[in-house]
Amino acid sequence: MVQQIPTDSLSRTLAALADPTRRAILARLATGEASVTELAAPFEMSMPAVSKHLRVLERARLITRSREAQWRPCTLEAGPLKEVADWVEQYRRFWEPRLDRLGEYLHQLKAREGKHGGKQKRSRPRERA
């Protein structure tokens, strides 16, 4: 099976975010720059595997790697995440009313419970003789 590399920036970003390891790396970088060794520490995988994840993040322009003497820090680049947020925002009008209706329904349930002094017991059907 041949894996196609997405060509537009939104697709590259979403593809990079699809992997939980890459999301964890981004979460770590959100706290500040880190070396590849520091980023690899929480994962039970080889350094080449971590490097592959970092290359995907670099291609999606979610991170940059620089060189400071012997230290090669990785830094989060949040710009592509803004593009994802903007894209998702378009769909807010679909899910926000649903959440509002759910909130109203939960409020009604709570009001009914209050009127009946807590949860109601269900009566069991009588056994026929």
Side-chain angles (χ1 to χ4, degrees):
M1 185 170 143
V2 177
Q3 184 179 0
Q4 291 186 342
I5 298 172
T7 55
D8 67 285
S9 62
L10 180 60
S11 295
R12 278 193 307 270
T13 303
L14 291 171
L17 294 173
D19 185 90
T21 300
R22 292 192 284 269
R23 291 192 306 270
I25 290 170
L26 292 176
R28 166 53 188 89
L29 289 175
T31 66
E33 61 185 19
S35 69
V36 174
T37 305
E38 291 169 329
L39 293 172
F43 305 107
E44 293 183 19
M45 64 177 68
S46 67
M47 287 301 284
V50 172
S51 291
K52 283 183 180 182
H53 284 294
L54 294 176
R55 280 195 299 275
V56 171
L57 292 170
E58 273 186 302
R59 277 195 302 270
R61 296 187 176 107
L62 288 164
I63 67 166
T64 55
R65 290 197 255 188
S66 59
R67 176 182 269 183
E68 296 174 15
Q70 295 299 318
W71 194 52
R72 293 188 172 102
C74 296
T75 307
L76 175 67
E77 298 296 332
L81 295 175
K82 170 82 168 90
E83 185 180 6
V84 172
D86 291 345
W87 180 76
V88 170
E89 181 65 27
Q90 299 174 54
Y91 297 93
R92 178 185 298 266
R93 66 186 172 111
F94 293 107
W95 53 265
E96 212 166 52
R98 290 183 175 107
L99 290 176
D100 290 344
R101 285 194 304 272
L102 176 61
E104 290 169 15
Y105 176 72
L106 292 174
H107 182 71
Q108 290 171 0
L109 284 179
K110 199 174 217 179
R112 275 191 230 147
E113 271 186 20
K115 286 181 184 177
H116 299 292
K119 293 183 180 179
Q120 292 180 349
K121 288 185 178 180
R122 290 186 180 178
S123 59
R124 287 193 269 166
R126 295 183 186 176
E127 290 183 28
R128 294 183 181 181

